[in-house]
Amino acid sequence: MTKSRFITALILVALAIWGSMALRNPYRAQLPVGSTDLSAIQAKLDKLPKNERALVYGYVKRSRGDVLPPQFADPDEPLTARTVGEAIALQRKFLVRMAEQEKKMEARRAERDAALAPLREVVSIDLVRREIMPASEAQRAPGDRGSAKRAQSNEHDVLVTTYRLENLTNQTIRSLEATVNLRKVHPREDELGIADHCYFNRSEALEPGAPVEVRCADLRKGVSEDDRDFVAMPGSELLIDWEPKHIRFGDGSELEYRN
């Protein structure tokens, strides 16, 4: 065998070995396109460390199997991975960015809660009831048993949420402007997690230590399946985000929260 042929044979052997190693390398495994089914490469994924395998699963779930050309991808969330190794790298960067954003959000929430604390110490709020009723009945004050027009057969139902407000001070509250959001403890990944929202703008006097029930409803809106799920949801699955914005007392003094 001549020297040139020997060198050529060595190169071919090296390429064959490299190719064989590349085929077995789990990081070079091709991700399925247009699918989240990883069963075809599961054997290779099983060779990865547990934390890297979780990164691949997280990336594929987030991308839903989509693959975008780099020039069309979102710079903040590029879904361009075609191999397991690329998916791991992109998911690592994504989680780092999410952690940084969450840290900033926590700082903003802490500032907001500190600013709201003086107002939250004045008026408390509790969730009393969640129910579905005819729109005409929803317009009545809670506990009002007076006469009311019979609901029309074509009248639509609405979701009604009843809250209890209580004046925690020794002063009369003349007016109150506030919002409340009921947030899900375990929201789905595809939703914001707000189960109900209500805006209060009361001008009725609220005496010291006195509670009052108030209803919240969108009388123009019908009842959705999400609304019915909200009514059936255990109270332990809901968090009250209470944001009083402006409180005016009987002596003319005021408390205000400015976002």
Side-chain angles (χ1 to χ4, degrees):
M1 179 181 293
T2 63
K3 183 177 180 179
S4 61
R5 288 183 177 179
F6 178 73
I7 293 174
T8 301
L10 285 178
I11 292 173
L12 292 174
V13 170
L15 288 174
I17 294 174
W18 178 84
S20 177
M21 293 177 61
L23 288 174
R24 292 197 299 268
N25 186 343
Y27 299 101
R28 293 181 177 272
Q30 295 287 315
L31 295 174
V33 177
S35 172
T36 59
D37 183 4
L38 297 174
S39 58
I41 60 171
Q42 189 60 54
K44 292 182 179 180
L45 293 177
D46 291 341
K47 296 178 181 179
L48 296 173
K50 184 177 180 180
N51 64 316
E52 291 188 340
R53 194 160 58 245
L55 290 173
V56 177
Y57 294 152
Y59 176 86
V60 172
K61 184 176 182 180
R62 184 165 59 89
S63 70
R64 297 183 176 89
D66 293 337
V67 181
L68 298 175
Q71 64 269 29
F72 299 126
D74 184 340
D76 292 328
E77 294 187 35
L79 302 176
T80 57
R82 294 184 178 275
T83 67
V84 167
E86 292 172 352
I88 291 172
L90 287 177
Q91 188 68 2
R92 277 200 179 111
K93 291 180 180 179
F94 171 77
L95 293 179
V96 168
R97 191 168 67 85
M98 289 296 100
E100 291 173 349
Q101 288 187 1
E102 180 59 27
K103 188 175 181 180
K104 292 178 182 178
M105 289 178 62
E106 286 180 0
R108 287 196 291 269
R109 282 195 292 265
E111 292 176 359
R112 168 180 171 269
D113 288 344
L116 283 169
L119 289 84
R120 287 172 170 169
E121 291 173 355
V122 168
V123 181
S124 68
I125 187 169
D126 291 299
L127 175 61
V128 179
R129 287 183 299 277
R130 293 161 283 157
E131 52 196 334
I132 293 171
M133 62 179 66
S136 60
E137 184 179 345
Q139 297 182 68
R140 299 161 60 188
D144 182 3
R145 303 302 179 186
S147 61
K149 293 182 180 180
R150 182 182 299 275
Q152 300 296 319
S153 60
N154 61 349
E155 183 183 12
H156 66 281
D157 288 340
V158 295
L159 169 68
V160 179
T161 310
T162 303
Y163 297 93
R164 180 183 296 109
L165 304 177
E166 184 174 354
N167 181 352
L168 303 178
T169 73
N170 56 5
Q171 300 184 66
T172 299
I173 294 176
R174 292 298 179 188
S175 64
L176 167 66
E177 181 184 0
T179 62
V180 60
N181 288 312
L182 288 179
R183 299 185 182 275
K184 296 182 181 180
V185 176
H186 301 105
R188 300 193 309 265
E189 290 187 356
D190 61 344
E191 64 181 0
L192 295 175
I194 297 178
D196 191 56
H197 169 81
C198 192
Y199 170 73
F200 299 101
N201 192 358
R202 286 179 51 83
S203 57
E204 299 88 347
L206 186 57
E207 300 300 329
V212 62
E213 288 190 2
V214 293
R215 279 178 173 170
C216 189
D218 185 346
L219 300 178
R220 301 164 298 177
K221 180 183 174 184
V223 178
S224 67
E225 285 303 313
D226 285 342
D227 293 335
R228 297 186 188 280
D229 291 342
F230 167 62
V231 170
M233 188 180 300
S236 59
E237 288 294 310
L238 295 169
L239 292 174
I240 297 180
D241 183 8
W242 174 232
E243 190 174 287
K245 297 180 178 294
H246 184 266
I247 299 172
R248 183 168 62 86
F249 296 97
D251 61 3
S253 61
E254 299 177 324
L255 289 174
E256 186 174 15
Y257 165 70
R258 293 183 179 181
N259 192 347

